[in-house]
Amino acid sequence: MKKILLTIFTTVLCFSTLNKAYGFVRYEEKHPKKTILVNVSGVVHYEPFGWEEKNISVKLSGYRTVFKPILDILAADINADLRYKTYFKNVEAAMKEVRKNDIDLFLGAYSKTELYKGLHFLYPAVLYNPITVFMMPNRIDEVKSTDDLKKLKGVRIVSELFSDFVDKKVSELNPIEVNTPYEAFEKLFTREADYIITSYYSGMVEAIKLGLLQQIAPAKQTLWKIPMFIGVGKASIYRDKLSKRITKYLTDEKNLKAVEDHLQQLIKDLEKKYEGVVPPTFVSFKDTDTQVTSPDNAQ
């Protein structure tokens, strides 16, 4: 009798469990997970960290960012519809939208920097932006510290943003200011400047685009490393939700490694895209046989 009762109980329990499971599926079908609209912006005109890539042949454009691996996790985790607002002419314009609560997430912000006021920074930093100098290969050994730069003439691109601390240090070197990477490299090759002070990765990319990568060399030591953060708008209605989720992702070393791998892939893609570019006419090939190598402690 006990065996019969046990069998009946087990059968009823199984049917009850299956019925609840079926009911849950039906509920999910009727009430799909709500989509969260998240407005995203970030550094612009700053390859390989963030830029608009245009495809003239198909009249398309899209934002490319080194932070993509983190955003992919976020989109899947909370069913986020990520809307990129990267049509701004500069970061200053984007930050105005952050403070107006029109942007929820900002990619590539510098901490302790007045420009990024209005953001809640998510720790740890996703990656570091190594700042170095590019010189003619036969002269690169002249620079081992910032003190060595004081005896030389530098050039910087005014549109490249540094943290407030690094910007102050760079300004103290009194570099020539130019508007474009082309002008910076022109002054280097025509000997009007001894070095270009810039991000290692950004300098690499601009050299690739101009066909100059094998004619210049970065300093062997990084001068400064600026932490780059994901920031959440302080006024965003999703501030708590986004902060908790993204902070969780950033504590996983695998996710940070994915960002680093993506950074290297972006550079490889750009090398392939600009392969065979003829250098500008101001290039002198004298004493430029040294190969370009990464700074010892570049991230």
Side-chain angles (χ1 to χ4, degrees), residues 41 43 48-49 65-74 105-111 120-130 201 225-232 242-243 245-264 266 298-299:
S41 192
V43 290
F49 300 111
T65 173
V66 71
F67 298 92
K68 183 178 184 297
I70 301 297
L71 297 176
D72 287 346
I73 298 171
L74 176 69
L105 277 181
F106 187 90
L107 313 173
Y110 298 147
S111 62
H120 170 64
F121 288 83
L122 305 182
Y123 288 80
V126 185
L127 74 165
Y128 289 80
N129 186 9
Y201 293 116
K225 293 194 295 184
I226 308 176
M228 299 188 81
F229 292 90
I230 294 177
V232 179
L242 294 174
S243 297
R245 297 299 179 116
I246 296 174
T247 298
K248 180 181 177 181
Y249 310 151
L250 298 180
T251 58
D252 189 333
E253 288 294 330
K254 291 186 297 184
N255 295 331
L256 298 181
K257 178 65 164 52
V259 173
E260 174 65 28
D261 291 343
H262 188 55
L263 171 63
Q264 299 303 327
L266 288 174
Q299 296 295 309

Side-chain angles (χ1 to χ4, degrees), residues 261-272:
D261 291 343
H262 188 55
L263 171 63
Q264 299 303 327
Q265 186 59 54
L266 288 174
I267 293 174
K268 289 179 182 177
D269 291 346
L270 288 165
E271 284 185 292
K272 184 176 181 181

Side-chain angles (χ1 to χ4, degrees), residues 37-295:
L37 175 61
V38 178
N39 292 318
V40 183
S41 192
V43 290
V44 288
H45 318 301
Y46 199 34
E47 300 173 68
F49 300 111
W51 76 101
E52 280 285 336
E53 186 168 88
K54 301 185 185 302
N55 189 327
I56 298 174
S57 61
V58 293
K59 296 183 179 179
L60 291 176
S61 65
Y63 184 62
R64 299 198 69 181
T65 173
V66 71
F67 298 92
K68 183 178 184 297
I70 301 297
L71 297 176
D72 287 346
I73 298 171
L74 176 69
D77 187 17
I78 65 172
N79 197 34
D81 179 6
L82 304 179
R83 300 285 179 88
Y84 292 95
K85 292 190 171 185
T86 54
Y87 44 78
F88 308 105
K89 65 177 182 178
N90 52 39
V91 170
E92 289 90 336
M95 284 306 303
K96 287 181 181 178
E97 297 301 306
V98 170
R99 289 187 278 272
K100 286 165 49 180
N101 195 26
D102 287 337
I103 292 174
D104 302 294
L105 277 181
F106 187 90
L107 313 173
Y110 298 147
S111 62
K112 299 179 181 178
T113 299
E114 186 66 19
L115 173 62
Y116 300 101
K117 185 174 64 175
L119 288 174
H120 170 64
F121 288 83
L122 305 182
Y123 288 80
V126 185
L127 74 165
Y128 289 80
N129 186 9
I131 307 303
T132 188
V133 296
F134 285 83
M135 301 179 70
M136 304 306 292
N138 62 316
R139 299 191 60 190
I140 198 64
D141 290 335
E142 295 179 31
V143 176
K144 296 180 176 62
S145 71
T146 52
D147 287 337
D148 296 321
L149 298 178
K150 296 175 182 178
K151 300 173 288 186
L152 305 171
K153 192 62 181 176
V155 60
R156 69 173 291 185
I157 303 160
V158 293
S159 60
E160 181 170 18
L161 297 174
F162 300 135
S163 66
D164 283 352
F165 173 80
V166 172
D167 190 69
K168 182 176 182 296
K169 293 296 183 181
V170 171
S171 297
E172 289 172 358
L173 298 171
N174 196 30
I176 302 167
E177 295 187 341
V178 297
N179 294 316
T180 66
Y182 182 96
E183 293 173 272
F185 281 109
E186 182 178 34
K187 289 192 178 299
L188 180 66
F189 278 90
T190 58
R191 307 299 195 267
E192 292 181 62
D194 301 303
Y195 63 85
I196 301 171
I197 190 160
T198 184
S199 159
Y200 169 73
Y201 293 116
S202 177
M204 281 264 296
V205 167
E206 296 303 335
I208 288 169
K209 291 162 69 174
L210 289 170
L212 297 173
L213 188 60
Q214 300 307 318
Q215 282 77 56
I216 49 95
K220 294 178 181 179
Q221 295 296 323
T222 297
L223 302 175
W224 303 282
K225 293 194 295 184
I226 308 176
M228 299 188 81
F229 292 90
I230 294 177
V232 179
K234 290 181 178 179
S236 171
I237 61 172
Y238 302 123
R239 174 179 169 176
D240 290 342
K241 187 181 190 71
L242 294 174
S243 297
K244 289 177 182 177
R245 297 299 179 116
I246 296 174
T247 298
K248 180 181 177 181
Y249 310 151
L250 298 180
T251 58
D252 189 333
E253 288 294 330
K254 291 186 297 184
N255 295 331
L256 298 181
K257 178 65 164 52
V259 173
E260 174 65 28
D261 291 343
H262 188 55
L263 171 63
Q264 299 303 327
Q265 186 59 54
L266 288 174
I267 293 174
K268 289 179 182 177
D269 291 346
L270 288 165
E271 284 185 292
K272 184 176 181 181
K273 178 179 178 179
Y274 291 96
E275 188 177 10
V277 170
V278 178
T281 55
F282 57 71
V283 172
S284 169
F285 290 92
K286 183 179 180 181
D287 300 324
T288 59
D289 57 348
T290 302
Q291 295 296 308
V292 175
T293 55
S294 172

